[in-house]
Amino acid sequence: MNLDNRVVLVTGATGGLGQEFVKQALARGAAKVYAGARRDHDWGDSRVVPLQLDVTDPAAIATAVAAAPDADVLVNNAGVRGADSLLTSPESEIRETYEANVFAPLLLVRAFAPVLARNGGGAIINVHSALSWLARPGAYAASKTAFWGLTNALRLELAEQKTQVVGAHLGYTDTPFIAHLDVPKSDPAVIVSNILDALEAGEDEAMADDTSVQVKSILPSMTTGILPS
Ligand SMILES: NC(=O)c1ccc[n+]([C@@H]2O[C@H](COP(=O)([O-])OP(=O)(O)OC[C@H]3O[C@@H](n4cnc5c(N)ncnc54)[C@H](OP(=O)(O)O)[C@@H]3O)[C@@H](O)[C@H]2O)c1
């Protein structure tokens, strides 16, 4: 997989990582990028085609499929932080977390799989988290674990149509998503560059930072999803 002349659709395109995906896909030679987002954004580049896309809205997904028949790379990047507690947050907030972080990317893959197949197979990047592998209170980490499992199952189903499926893992990254956290953060430009390197190298998994590499390396010693002390 090489991004030269590819047609890429990015969800959550106006976010911190989303904007990097748009910019770097073009820098790597993509012919066109569909920038799927809920908000308007002036991209200042005729190769960027804005798409109104709330990923939790099935009608908007159908419209996106009709509007982007030439897409051959789908980047499932949109995500939400979600409900703080699995016990006390309203059930609706927990469902909304799973709608955005699990069902939305699944529905996008289902909708775009025939498009990718028609265009030669192409690729999908699913943006998980290092927290796909670590337990945290609340719905976010649990939803990213579910997303990771879904990616791996989809990869098996999409192999027949030769669609590469990349699961991307990253820790704290300097975007509006975690603006409220005072912690060391990676540069989103470096994270996206590492993910796109993995895509272009034909990998199934993108380990975008040291945190992800470290967390994955200790998975065998974890019994409950909690870091060993
Ligand atoms: N930053 C980190 O530390 C970090 C770490 C691990 C994983 N991630 C993952 O990286 C991905 C991108 O996040 P980011 O860091 O770039 O955060 P961000 O700047 O907050 O961007 C998140 C984007 O997702 C969009 N989004 C949320 N719900 C949506 C919906 N229903 N329909 C369409 N778009 C929706 C947001 O759109 P609006 O602006 O319209 O809300 C926003 O553009 C997320 O999946 C996140 O879980 C981030």
Side-chain angles (χ1 to χ4, degrees), residues 15-17 38-39 53-55 77 128 140 144 173 175-177:
L17 289 167
R38 294 188 289 197
R39 289 184 287 120
L53 180 56
D54 179 334
V55 293
N77 164 71
H128 309 144
Y140 178 75
K144 288 291 186 177
T173 304
T175 72
F177 206 71

Side-chain angles (χ1 to χ4, degrees), residues 30-220:
K32 191 195 288 184
V33 179
Y34 291 104
R38 294 188 289 197
R39 289 184 287 120
D40 292 339
H41 183 81
D42 180 9
W43 292 99
D45 189 316
S46 60
R47 294 170 299 174
V48 182
V49 180
L51 276 186
Q52 264 298 321
L53 180 56
D54 179 334
V55 293
T56 62
D57 177 358
I61 292 177
T63 303
V65 169
D70 49 352
D72 56 5
V73 180
L74 168 66
V75 184
N76 274 316
N77 164 71
V80 296
R81 290 210 309 274
D84 289 337
S85 170
L86 291 167
L87 291 178
T88 57
S89 294
E91 181 187 334
S92 59
E93 279 184 24
I94 295 168
R95 289 188 183 277
E96 280 161 22
T97 311
Y98 277 76
E99 282 297 335
N101 291 354
V102 183
F103 286 103
L106 172 60
L107 294 182
L108 276 149
V109 170
R110 285 166 60 97
F112 274 96
V115 177
L116 300 185
R118 272 198 307 277
N119 295 328
I124 294 169
I125 296 173
N126 283 346
V127 180
H128 309 144
S129 169
L131 291 182
S132 302
W133 294 318
L134 279 181
R136 283 285 185 278
Y140 178 75
S143 73
K144 288 291 186 177
T145 305
F147 188 17
W148 174 51
L150 197 146
T151 297
N152 293 333
L154 284 168
R155 184 179 299 112
L156 298 177
E157 294 201 30
L158 289 163
E160 203 174 319
Q161 67 170 56
K162 301 199 181 338
T163 300
Q164 181 187 349
V165 180
V166 182
H169 295 264
L170 55 141
Y172 292 136
T173 304
D174 195 2
T175 72
F177 206 71
I178 56 159
H180 59 295
L181 294 182
D182 186 16
V183 293
K185 300 171 187 178
S186 298
D187 178 349
V190 173
I191 294 292
V192 168
S193 174
N194 290 340
I195 295 172
L196 295 181
D197 282 350
L199 170 81
E200 293 197 313
E203 306 285 350
D204 289 337
E205 189 169 70
M207 305 293 282
D209 58 11
D210 290 345
T211 302
S212 303
V213 173
Q214 215 178 341
V215 171
K216 191 172 182 195
S217 74
I218 55 169
L219 270 180

